[in-house]
Amino acid sequence: MKLFSVHGYEGTPLSAIAKEVGIKTPSLYAHFESKEKLYFAVYEEVQAEHVRRLEALIDSVREENTGTKLYTILSETCRNYLLDEEKAAFLKRAMLFPPSSLQDELQQRFMDAEKRQTAVYRGIFEAAIEEGSIAGRDADDLLAAYYCLLDGSFVQMFYYGPDQFRQRLHSVWSIFWEGIAR
């Protein structure tokens, strides 16, 4: 992951990966049949860890009000990526600048992972609409807006230092929440 994060897929030869882990290049083939398979294994591990963290986070805020749930998910997701810049850089490269030969497969894997997240977020939004804590809007519209907030925050992390980023995150969250809360 470290090498893919820094150099991208195309810029990371198998020989550099083998050297980094202390084995000879042919030995990699005992574990992965190709560089592509190795790359996807790294991608899947990063996505799986994200899902595990998200599930633990959801459990920790289960009893909170909707605003607290959504803000905590947003801010903790950003905090996790700020704490692990390597994973954030890997995902940024994979999703914003994918290797052309892997683009379709990465997009499909991303959409599969997003379906699991969407089910969680949809449940939060639908429960909040039902209880009347947010405006009675279409859940798909709310999901789209929240994903734009998450994705925009992910990109903003790369442009600003932690303090300025947190300030911007709080500001944009306040405007978002005021727009959907009753």
Side-chain angles (χ1 to χ4, degrees):
M1 181 178 55
K2 175 181 170 183
L3 295 172
F4 287 138
S5 297
V6 173
H7 305 290
Y9 178 80
E10 288 96 351
T12 305
L14 284 176
S15 59
I17 295 169
K19 183 178 179 184
E20 182 75 20
V21 297
I23 61 175
K24 295 195 181 299
T25 304
S27 299
L28 281 174
Y29 290 105
H31 303 283
F32 299 97
E33 66 185 61
S34 67
K35 179 177 163 182
E36 180 180 300
K37 298 281 186 189
L38 173 60
Y39 186 81
F40 282 127
V42 172
Y43 179 83
E44 289 300 326
E45 179 54 36
V46 170
Q47 283 290 16
E49 182 179 332
H50 175 72
V51 169
R52 285 190 300 270
R53 285 183 179 189
L54 179 61
E55 288 170 348
L57 186 55
I58 296 297
D59 284 342
S60 74
V61 296
R62 191 166 308 284
E63 301 302 318
E64 300 291 339
N65 65 49
T66 303
T68 300
K69 282 180 190 176
L70 293 172
Y71 182 73
T72 301
I73 292 166
L74 173 67
S75 62
E76 286 299 304
T77 298
C78 291
R79 188 176 80 72
N80 286 334
Y81 285 125
L82 283 171
L83 292 175
D84 197 336
E85 292 179 26
E86 199 170 86
K87 284 187 179 98
F90 176 81
L91 283 176
K92 179 181 176 185
R93 278 186 179 271
M95 299 318 303
L96 299 178
F97 310 106
S100 58
S101 62
L102 308 180
Q103 186 172 1
D104 291 342
E105 179 69 20
L106 281 170
Q107 181 68 26
Q108 184 58 50
R109 289 173 187 237
F110 174 80
M111 296 308 292
D112 291 345
E114 189 174 89
K115 283 180 190 175
R116 295 187 299 265
Q117 294 174 40
T118 296
V120 171
Y121 299 147
R122 181 180 298 286
I124 292 170
F125 283 121
E126 288 176 348
I129 291 167
E130 190 174 307
E131 74 184 17
S133 63
I134 62 175
R137 297 179 183 255
D138 182 70
D140 287 332
D141 292 342
L142 292 166
L143 283 163
Y146 192 68
Y147 273 126
C148 285
L149 183 59
L150 279 165
D151 295 344
S153 298
F154 180 72
V155 172
Q156 292 281 305
M157 289 186 316
F158 294 97
Y159 297 134
Y160 301 99
D163 292 336
Q164 189 176 10
F165 170 72
R166 278 190 279 282
Q167 180 183 358
R168 292 174 73 89
L169 182 66
H170 181 73
S171 296
V172 75
W173 168 256
S174 296
I175 292 168
F176 174 81
W177 184 246
E178 287 173 17
I180 68 169
R182 269 204 198 237

